Amino acid sequence: MRDRHIDVALLNEATVPPPTPFVSAYSASGTEGLNRLASGELMPRAWSSVIASFEGTIDAVEPRARGMFDRRPEIPFRPSKPGVWIAGSVTAQGIGSVTCVSLYGLLDELSDASVHRSLSDLTPLLTDSDFRGRVVVGGDLNTTTAWREPSLRRRDQGVLDRFEALGLVDLLREKREPGPLAGCTCGLGERCEHTWTRLGRGKAPIQTDYLFASRDLVTRLKTCEALSPPDWREYSDHAPIIATFE
Ligand SMILES: [Zn+2]
């Protein structure tokens, strides 16, 4: 990551505590799932969504949680399931404070339900005028619109539409080369806008990972690309998505 001059990384399923060459924000208790062991206890997971900063600190964020008619719902700003998402603000040179969210689509349940729940948790942040113009959200959402089954595709499209409704732009789609992803199973033909991010069980390339940013930040977006998943096989079955902002 140093070789590529990465300032901030959004990681999923990262071991806790993370290694120390960088400053990080994460759930110290790991990720709390919904699955239970035979004993009835929640299945423990020693990993978390993590924000890693290679330059400077990560500050806690506390949105004012204004709802309709400026009402402030008395709901704490935290993940319904600890470890599934983590938010923090970093200072980006020439831009100022940017709030980062590392978000994971936990598969204890169907992933669209998990991401919808997290988006409900995050709505106070994404609707707060102090934060919403400078937010970056990324991770393995376990969400894809390349399902062959139309009802599944529609459900996951609903997840992605919700990001858009909250003012976030899909950065890979914004910067991808025109033309369909070769071998994609979405069936959209020339209208396919997928990018290969994950080694699937079969041979077909699949996208389950996304990086979103506020519309205001997209005006500063220079590049966004997913590296080749086979090149990263040694480290993960997911490829990094790298975005650069001016
Ligand atoms: Zn496609």
Side-chain angles (χ1 to χ4, degrees):
M1 288 310 203
R2 282 284 189 202
D3 298 346
R4 289 179 174 268
H5 307 288
I6 300 294
D7 297 318
V8 178
L10 309 179
L11 311 171
N12 290 160
E13 292 188 12
T15 50
V16 287
T20 49
F22 43 80
V23 178
S24 52
Y26 58 96
S27 161
S29 59
T31 296
E32 187 179 292
L34 299 177
N35 286 351
R36 291 184 184 276
L37 302 167
S39 65
E41 285 179 75
L42 286 171
M43 187 187 290
R45 293 169 168 84
W47 41 258
S48 170
S49 294
V50 169
I51 302 168
S53 169
F54 298 87
E55 305 285 341
T57 57
I58 302 169
D59 298 320
V61 292
E62 192 56 53
R64 283 178 287 165
R66 288 173 303 202
M68 206 181 284
F69 312 120
D70 240 15
R71 186 174 64 90
R72 179 186 167 142
E74 291 302 326
I75 300 170
F77 182 64
R78 64 176 182 230
S80 298
K81 290 180 284 185
V84 169
W85 64 260
I86 191 93
S89 287
V90 300
T91 302
Q93 227 177 16
I95 297 178
S97 180
V98 173
T99 301
C100 300
V101 181
S102 175
L103 170 60
Y104 178 62
L106 189 64
L107 284 173
D108 277 11
E109 57 189 326
L110 293 169
S111 62
D112 64 332
S114 172
V115 181
H116 275 304
R117 185 174 292 104
S118 292
L119 283 174
S120 294
D121 296 338
L122 290 163
T123 295
L125 173 78
L126 299 171
T127 55
D128 187 320
S129 55
D130 285 349
F131 296 96
R132 67 184 176 208
R134 289 180 185 174
V135 179
V136 174
V137 183
D140 169 16
L141 305 187
N142 279 310
T143 295
T144 177
T145 49
W147 296 107
R148 290 182 195 274
E149 166 60 44
S151 64
L152 290 177
R153 191 190 310 163
R154 189 163 173 191
R155 282 173 55 178
D156 277 3
Q157 185 63 55
V159 173
L160 300 179
D161 289 347
R162 198 170 163 195
F163 280 89
E164 196 179 318
L166 286 163
L168 295 166
V169 175
D170 179 338
L171 301 188
L172 275 178
R173 203 176 66 186
E174 193 71 15
K175 289 293 184 189
R176 72 189 293 283
E177 296 289 327
L181 169 63
C184 189
T185 58
C186 68
L188 293 170
E190 286 300 311
R191 288 182 295 123
C192 165
E193 292 185 303
H194 294 108
T195 297
W196 191 14
T197 67
R198 196 198 156 189
L199 292 169
R201 289 195 188 92
K203 282 186 182 155
I206 188 165
Q207 176 174 5
T208 60
D209 308 83
Y210 299 83
L211 187 62
F212 299 91
S214 309
R215 283 192 197 100
D216 293 358
L217 273 180
V218 175
T219 59
R220 297 168 174 274
L221 180 68
K222 243 168 88 180
T223 63
C224 184
E225 60 166 343
L227 304 184
S228 164
D231 291 349
W232 286 80
R233 192 189 300 269
E234 183 186 341
Y235 308 100
S236 172
D237 52 354
H238 297 260
I241 300 171
I242 300 182
T244 52
F245 296 87
E246 317 187 90

